[in-house]
Amino acid sequence: MTCEIRSKEEKQFLLDQRYLAMARIWAQNSYCVRRQVGAILVKDKMIISDGYNGTPSGFENVCEDENNKTKPYVLHAEANAISKVARSNNSSDGATLYVTASPCIECAKLIIQAGIKRVVFTEKYHTEDGVLLLDRANIEVVHVEDEMSVNFINK
């Protein structure tokens, strides 16, 4: 029987892969047609919140209008996860957010205010404003492009 010794970075990468896989699965709960996004909020290796993009509670589960544009009141996955943890007894201070798409500028502001210290994502959003703001706030941002590669935006 062999015992495989892994570095701290390798262990973290494997954890990142697993939590991103969970975020991808969680994204499937979204009723949005154009894009489904999932988010998992983790602290001390424990999932403390989750979210996916969609309409506010009590609204119809239709994210796009007749022109296939996202309705202005649709919440992003990150906003849903942060709102959900705010209503719980958990604290997001120092947590890691795993999300299937890089945060937009509005979600980046929420991430900063929520005390989240690390963001790991797979797909790039159409603008990098959110990632740039997180970088400015000294939040570690990690882009995992696929199962085998990782790109540290900042450390």
Side-chain angles (χ1 to χ4, degrees):
M1 187 166 153
T2 61
C3 181
E4 204 174 308
I5 299 172
R6 291 194 170 120
S7 70
K8 186 177 177 182
E9 291 81 16
E10 287 174 312
K11 287 179 184 176
Q12 186 61 61
F13 180 71
L14 290 173
L15 275 176
D16 289 349
Q17 289 292 323
R18 291 178 186 132
Y19 287 125
L20 283 170
M22 289 181 206
R24 280 191 291 274
I25 290 167
W26 202 244
Q28 295 172 16
N29 289 316
S30 173
Y31 287 92
C32 296
V33 175
R34 289 182 42 221
R35 175 180 234 177
Q36 293 180 315
V37 180
I40 303 287
L41 197 52
V42 177
K43 186 173 180 178
D44 301 324
K45 295 184 182 177
M46 213 169 65
I47 296 171
I48 60 170
S49 190
D50 51 51
Y52 52 87
N53 58 325
T55 57
S57 297
F59 281 63
E60 74 288 348
N61 289 320
V62 179
C63 298
E64 293 84 11
D65 64 17
E66 59 279 350
N67 298 318
N68 202 30
K69 295 258 189 199
T70 301
K71 292 180 179 178
Y73 52 85
V74 168
L75 292 158
H76 288 190
E78 305 94 319
N80 267 326
I82 292 168
S83 299
K84 193 173 178 180
V85 79
R87 294 179 68 181
S88 74
N89 292 326
N90 290 315
S91 167
S92 56
D93 199 40
T96 297
L97 179 70
Y98 293 91
V99 63
T100 58
S102 61
C104 69
I105 190 96
E106 294 302 317
C107 288
K109 291 188 275 186
L110 292 173
I111 291 165
I112 293 165
Q113 290 302 100
I116 294 166
K117 293 299 175 202
R118 186 167 183 262
V119 176
V120 182
F121 71 93
T122 50
E123 295 175 37
K124 288 185 179 181
Y125 193 61
H126 60 85
T127 67
E128 290 191 28
D129 295 353
V131 170
L132 294 172
L133 186 63
L134 293 173
D135 185 48
R136 183 174 172 193
N138 294 317
I139 293 173
E140 181 182 355
V141 180
V142 181
H143 177 206
V144 177
E145 294 181 33
D146 57 40
E147 312 315 302
M148 304 307 288
S149 64
V150 62
N151 180 19
F152 292 94
I153 308 287
N154 61 18
K155 275 189 157 182

